[in-house]
Amino acid sequence: MIITGTESGRGPILVLLHGFPLDQSMWAEQRRVLSNHFRVITPDFQGHGQTPLDSATLSIDGMADDVIAYLDHHQIREPVVVGGLSMGGYVALSLVARYPDRLRGLLLMNTRAGADVPETARVREDLAQLVEKAGNSDLIVQTMLPRLFAPATFKSQPELVESMRQVMASTSASSVAATSRALARRTNRTPDLPNIKIPTLVIAGSDDQLIPLSESQAMAAAIPGAELVIIPDSGHLSPLENPNATNAAILGFLERLA
Ligand code: MLT
């Protein structure tokens, strides 16, 4: 299906892929600043934001196919820079492995290359069944929200926490269930990392409760020539918790690419 996307600015294309269970609104600060230099495209994955859930079965590779279908539909054939946060990063890694000619730069933010361990996959299936039964996303809000931000962010930016809570709560139970199962079934992309041939920037949050810094360091070390930037005062949502530092890191990387 053709997913919905928001576009701003003109110039070289930067596609930003959101995390779970969020939507493209998480990129507001990047769109505002980076669209002065780039054509910034922020799609909503199926079942998130403005894109309906088209199929009860989702996969990370299918989400990557949807991004390519979006580019094709908009006659974008030039290689683009793709950035993904967490789940968006899993999709970006699928894109670079499966459509290497469509990318010229890669931004991996608050994400990992490995697949779920069996215990995590089981927890996701339990969660999928519970939200389906409840018919709402309350459980994912309760379990994930406390871990999405750096502990300090809950006190320093309560409006930001509240706005993301609302986005999470508005993601339907069927979308949360289908996406949780897609996350649990995703491919381990660790063996692909040494084959990445395009410039890559890895961004990590100094206080990410979901992705330990050591994993971001190992991922950056495995990708030839990759850079690593640690964003201070941020947890799993660096582009929202510390947009100035994140935008500076992204801009610096994109300027070096040009
Ligand atoms: C995300 O932020 O996209 C999620 O943490 C991804 C995941 O649960 O693996």
Side-chain angles (χ1 to χ4, degrees):
M1 74 172 301
I2 305 301
I3 54 179
T4 305
T6 303
E7 299 206 15
S8 352
R10 292 155 77 118
I13 296 173
L14 170 65
V15 181
L16 294 174
L17 305 174
H18 65 78
F20 166 76
L22 306 175
D23 66 15
Q24 59 83 28
S25 66
M26 64 157 282
W27 299 115
E29 278 302 301
Q30 282 63 51
R31 248 200 336 263
R32 190 176 67 75
V33 171
L34 303 175
S35 63
N36 292 320
H37 310 265
F38 301 92
R39 178 174 168 195
V40 182
I41 301 179
T42 55
D44 277 328
F45 290 122
Q46 278 194 43
H48 296 78
Q50 300 300 310
T51 305
L53 187 64
D54 188 46
S55 154
T57 310
L58 295 181
S59 68
I60 295 298
D61 287 349
M63 294 182 208
D65 295 342
D66 284 346
V67 173
I68 295 296
Y70 179 97
L71 297 177
D72 289 346
H73 182 72
H74 291 83
Q75 274 101 42
I76 297 169
R77 300 300 308 180
E78 70 192 75
V80 299
V81 179
V82 170
L85 180 132
S86 199
M87 178 177 79
Y90 310 158
V91 177
L93 285 168
S94 168
L95 283 167
V96 75
R98 297 167 56 244
Y99 300 97
D101 299 344
R102 304 298 294 268
L103 272 62
R104 69 181 187 94
L106 184 63
L107 282 156
L108 297 171
M109 297 176 239
N110 313 77
T111 193
R112 55 162 58 98
D116 277 2
V117 296
E119 172 59 15
T120 307
R122 256 196 310 277
V123 169
R124 295 214 206 254
E125 178 55 34
D126 289 349
L127 181 122
Q129 291 184 18
L130 288 168
V131 291
E132 276 173 333
K133 204 163 153 207
N136 62 54
S137 307
D138 291 358
L139 190 61
I140 191 93
V141 177
Q142 283 161 27
T143 53
M144 263 190 96
L145 193 67
R147 302 196 303 150
L148 269 188
F149 297 93
T153 303
F154 290 93
K155 281 207 183 100
S156 61
Q157 302 189 69
E159 330 70 37
L160 173 63
V161 175
E162 174 54 22
S163 72
M164 286 304 111
R165 190 195 65 73
Q166 287 178 16
V167 172
M168 293 171 85
S170 67
T171 307
S172 73
S174 49
S175 298
V176 168
T179 312
S180 296
R181 291 179 174 124
L183 289 164
R185 282 195 311 264
R186 74 184 189 278
T187 303
N188 174 16
R189 293 283 171 204
T190 310
D192 299 328
L193 299 179
N195 302 325
I196 296 179
K197 295 196 168 49
I198 53 174
T200 301
L201 173 66
V202 175
I203 285 180
S206 58
D207 301 292
D208 193 329
Q209 302 187 66
L210 295 172
I211 313 271
L213 197 50
S214 55
E215 276 199 59
S216 299
Q217 284 164 333
M219 184 167 68
I223 302 172
E227 300 167 56
L228 171 70
V229 174
I230 299 163
I231 305 294
D233 304 321
S234 80
H236 192 55
L237 300 182
S238 300
L240 298 112
E241 297 178 75
N242 193 342
N244 292 343
T246 305
N247 286 344
I250 296 175
L251 263 179
F253 172 71
L254 294 175
E255 274 160 13
R256 286 193 292 283
L257 260 190

